[in-house]
């Protein structure tokens, strides 16, 4: 068991922004929320998977909706606690541990905020190893673990608990509700035992994000190439560096969708690349071929600072570096691709590996 202090939160926010593959919500907003929660309620206890008892009662927490909306519509602060209370009441037992749904972006911090406010330990593991836009796009789905019962609550005080026949239906029901709630809601679900959590999570998500953030910080302190340092740390591949030419962005059915055109610099001069996103970056292509796709991570960084640039931040004139990195091996399996492969996002092609 350890405690995450305010200094480490800075590194985690940067690392989670990178792991979010453009999505997961603005990590800066998440960092501010987490700092406020720690200031009010004290440090959060973080435990490794091996420390979680087999009979522990574990639930997951996250923000669900369009990240672009969160930029202007900040959470009131008690939504996620309301959702937690609704679910705990429905379960009829005390929840003992909280686990992040995803390590990407703001959603690395929402379970942190909840753990601080309700005084529960936070497990250093998550369901994705990155960020994906839909409820069913998690490793527990591959293990047959239900998202239900799932509770959700909004900034107006509305809340509900749903029972869905499968995780895809849980996504459909909550997504329809969150559109009416203003395209953002807080969810708490996937009740499971500690034994199940050890089988269907990716361990050390906070350590991974913290290490990645420190890579950026150290590179900047030495005035070295932070983008190259991140690429090496992730065992990834830098595709190109360039300038954003155009962003076609829209909020549709509770998702932030975008098509971004980027013109290359240096070795990629004269080429135009197209980046397509649904909350997260889904597919990257040049004028002749697809270069990479989900479930691998497609990441945009500021070319000078190495800081992550999220989908909602990208705009004309930004100088960005695009790199790709491998996902958890379980996502590359036949079952994993059936849940998070490009065809699940409406693209008529197979998975194109990053490396």
């Amino acid at each position: 068991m350890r405690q995450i202090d305010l200094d480490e939160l800075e590194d985690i926010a940067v690392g989670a922004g990178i792991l979010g593959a453009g999505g997961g919500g603005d990590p800066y907003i998440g960092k501010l929320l987490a700092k406020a929660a720690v200031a009010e309620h004290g440090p959060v206890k973080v435990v490794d998977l091996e420390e979680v008892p087999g009979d522990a009662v574990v639930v997951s927490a996250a923000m669900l909706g369009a990240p672009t909306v969160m930029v202007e519509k900040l959470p009131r602060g008690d939504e996620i606690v309301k959702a937690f209370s609704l679910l705990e009441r429905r379960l009829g037992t005390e929840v003992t541990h909280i686990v992040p749904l995803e390590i990407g972006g703001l959603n690395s911090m929402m379970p942190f905020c909840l753990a601080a406010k309700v005084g529960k330990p936070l497990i250093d593991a998550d369901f994705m190893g990155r960020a994906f836009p839909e409820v069913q796009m998690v490793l527990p789905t591959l293990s047959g673990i239900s998202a239900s019962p799932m509770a959700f609550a909004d900034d107006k005080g509305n809340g509900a608990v749903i029972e869905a026949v499968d995780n895809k239906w849980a996504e459909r029901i909550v997504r329809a509700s969150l559109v009416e709630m203003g395209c953002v809601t807080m969810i708490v679900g996937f009740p499971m035992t500690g034994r199940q959590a050890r089988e269907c999570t990716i361990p050390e998500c906070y350590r991974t994000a913290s290490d990645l953030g420190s890579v950026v910080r150290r590179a900047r302190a030495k005035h070295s190439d932070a983008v190259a340092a991140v690429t090496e740390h992730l065992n990834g591949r830098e595709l190109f560096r360039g300038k954003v030419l155009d962003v076609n962005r829209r909020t549709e059915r509770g998702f932030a969708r975008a098509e971004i055109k980027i013109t290359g610099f240096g070795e990629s001069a004269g080429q135009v690349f197209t980046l397509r996103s649904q909350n997260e970056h889904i597919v990257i292509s040049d004028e002749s071929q697809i270069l990479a796709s989900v479930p691998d991570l497609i990441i945009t960084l500021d070319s000078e600072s190495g800081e992550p640039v999220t989908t909602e931040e990208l705009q004309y004139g930004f100088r960005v570096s695009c790199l790709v990195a491998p996902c958890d091996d379980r996502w590359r399996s036949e079952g994993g691709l059936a849940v998070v492969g490009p065809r699940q996002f409406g693209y008529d092609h197979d998975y194109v590996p990053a490396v």
Side-chain angles (χ1 to χ4, degrees):
M1 183 178 293
R2 65 191 180 100
Q3 292 182 341
I4 292 177
D5 59 26
L6 295 181
D7 288 337
E8 189 176 359
L9 276 178
E10 296 282 347
D11 283 343
I12 291 173
V14 172
I18 296 170
L19 293 171
D26 189 335
Y28 176 74
I29 296 173
K31 180 183 67 177
L32 294 181
L33 294 170
K35 283 187 171 183
V38 170
E40 182 177 355
H41 301 283
V44 171
K45 295 177 180 178
V46 179
V47 299
D48 291 333
L49 275 171
E50 305 80 55
E51 298 177 90
V52 181
D55 60 353
V57 181
V58 180
V59 300
S60 185
M63 180 274 290
L64 190 69
T68 46
V69 174
M70 181 68 82
V71 174
E72 295 185 1
K73 183 183 177 184
L74 297 177
R76 191 172 68 180
D78 60 352
E79 301 98 318
I80 201 159
V81 176
K82 180 179 179 65
F84 176 85
S85 299
L86 286 171
L87 182 60
E88 195 171 51
R89 190 184 314 153
R90 168 64 181 80
L91 294 174
T93 188
E94 181 183 357
V95 170
T96 61
H97 293 75
I98 296 166
V99 63
L101 190 77
E102 62 186 13
I103 188 55
L106 174 145
N107 267 336
S108 65
M109 297 296 176
M110 295 315 302
F112 194 94
C113 297
L114 176 60
K117 292 179 178 183
V118 299
K120 304 293 182 181
L122 184 63
I123 301 175
D124 191 3
D126 80 299
F127 291 170
M128 301 181 192
R130 47 159 300 157
F132 285 119
E134 299 184 18
V135 165
Q136 81 280 6
M137 294 177 173
V138 293
L139 291 174
T141 297
L142 303 189
S143 299
I145 296 174
S146 177
S148 300
M150 174 177 285
F152 58 99
D154 68 5
D155 59 327
K156 305 170 189 64
N158 299 308
V161 179
I162 64 165
E163 292 273 4
V165 295
D166 59 31
N167 293 352
K168 179 64 175 178
W169 266 105
E171 156 68 25
R172 293 176 66 178
I173 294 168
V174 176
R175 187 72 54 177
S177 298
L178 77 84
V179 170
E180 296 300 319
M181 290 173 162
C183 288
V184 173
T185 192
M186 300 296 169
I187 63 170
V188 179
F190 288 95
M192 64 181 68
T193 65
R195 190 173 299 105
Q196 289 173 313
R198 286 195 287 271
E199 295 172 355
C200 68
T201 58
I202 299 173
E204 298 190 336
C205 64
Y206 284 111
R207 282 193 175 90
T208 299
S210 180
D211 290 346
L212 193 51
S214 68
V215 165
V216 175
R217 175 169 46 80
R218 291 196 302 267
R220 293 177 65 181
K222 294 187 296 184
H223 303 288
S224 59
D225 189 338
V227 174
V230 169
T231 305
E232 181 181 4
H233 188 79
L234 290 174
N235 296 316
R237 177 167 61 102
E238 186 176 344
L239 295 179
F240 62 86
R241 301 191 184 199
K243 183 182 81 170
V244 176
L245 287 179
D246 183 58
V247 180
N248 182 0
R249 182 184 289 118
R250 65 193 186 279
T251 300
E252 183 181 89
R253 294 179 53 246
F255 296 108
R257 300 179 188 268
E259 181 175 292
I260 301 108
K261 298 288 186 180
I262 305 171
T263 183
F265 291 154
E267 295 180 359
S268 301
Q271 296 186 63
V272 176
F273 301 89
T274 302
L275 180 59
R276 293 180 173 86
S277 305
Q278 180 181 317
N279 289 8
E280 286 73 44
H281 301 318
I282 306 300
V283 175
I284 179 72
S285 60
D286 61 17
E287 293 165 294
S288 62
Q289 64 181 332
I290 297 165
L291 302 176
S293 73
V294 287
D296 285 345
L297 285 72
I298 303 170
I299 302 163
T300 46
L301 304 179
D302 182 281
S303 290
E304 292 188 6
S305 69
E307 293 275 343
V309 183
T310 59
T311 55
E312 63 267 26
E313 292 177 306
L314 282 168
Q315 56 184 287
Y316 173 78
F318 271 34
R319 267 64 173 174
V320 296
S321 298
C322 183
L323 59 112
V324 290
C327 60
D328 185 88
D329 286 343
R330 284 169 284 185
W331 288 130
R332 292 181 165 190
S333 69
E334 183 178 351
L337 292 174
V339 176
V340 295
R343 294 185 187 279
Q344 307 311 309
F345 295 89
Y347 296 94
D348 188 23
H349 60 78
D350 294 329
Y351 161 54
V352 179
V355 290

